[in-house]
Amino acid sequence: MKQYVDTALKLRKWVVIGHHIPGRVRLKYKMGIVAHLAKYKVQDIEHALASIPAFKNYKLNSVTGSILLEYDPAVIKPHLIDALFSGTEQEAEQVCYAIAQSLNLNGVSS
C-alpha cells in the first residue's frame, strides 16, 4: 500500500481541485504532471482505476487540463478528497491511508 500512497503524494503537488461535489471531482492538473505520468503505461493506469469499484468513471480533457473523476461517495468519503488536496503533506499522507483503507487496499503489497 505504501507504494500507492507515495505515488499519490508525488502526484498531489501537480493537481488541484477545480470543482467537487460528492461523487464527482474535477481535478485541474499542471503540465508538469505529464513528465511524472510518462513512467506509467496508460493501460496500467486504466487497469488500476477499473480494478477499484469505488471509481465509477473518469474523463481526461487535455484541452482544459483536467480530469473528471466519478466515485462512490459511500465508499470514499467526500471530505477525504478535499483533505487530500488542501492539507499539509503529513495530513495528505494520513488521508491517503484512510482512502486506501476504505478501498480495502490493505492486502495489496507495496
Side-chain angles (χ1 to χ4, degrees):
M1 177 179 6
K2 183 167 177 15
Q3 103 183 37
Y4 297 108
V5 170
D6 290 345
T7 299
L9 292 174
K10 286 177 189 173
L11 296 176
R12 170 184 179 262
K13 67 180 174 183
W14 299 101
V15 179
V16 295
I17 292 177
H19 178 73
H20 183 211
I21 58 173
R24 183 178 163 125
V25 62
R26 180 171 305 279
L27 301 171
K28 303 287 267 176
Y29 60 87
K30 301 171 189 168
M31 290 310 295
I33 198 172
V34 175
H36 293 283
L37 291 177
K39 301 175 205 172
Y40 304 97
K41 294 179 184 174
V42 172
Q43 297 90 346
D44 292 343
I45 295 170
E46 290 176 349
H47 176 72
L49 290 172
S51 70
I52 300 173
F55 295 138
K56 297 179 176 182
N57 192 20
Y58 77 95
K59 191 181 297 185
L60 177 67
N61 187 332
S62 58
V63 174
T64 63
S66 68
I67 302 165
L68 180 65
L69 180 63
E70 295 179 15
Y71 66 94
D72 183 347
V75 177
I76 302 173
K77 302 299 179 201
H79 76 276
L80 292 176
I81 299 290
D82 292 329
L84 177 60
F85 295 99
S86 63
T88 66
E89 195 74 16
Q90 184 178 9
E91 292 167 333
E93 182 177 6
Q94 292 171 348
V95 168
C96 281
Y97 280 107
I99 291 171
Q101 187 173 23
S102 68
L103 295 174
N104 294 317
L105 295 179
N106 289 326
V108 176
S109 59
S110 42

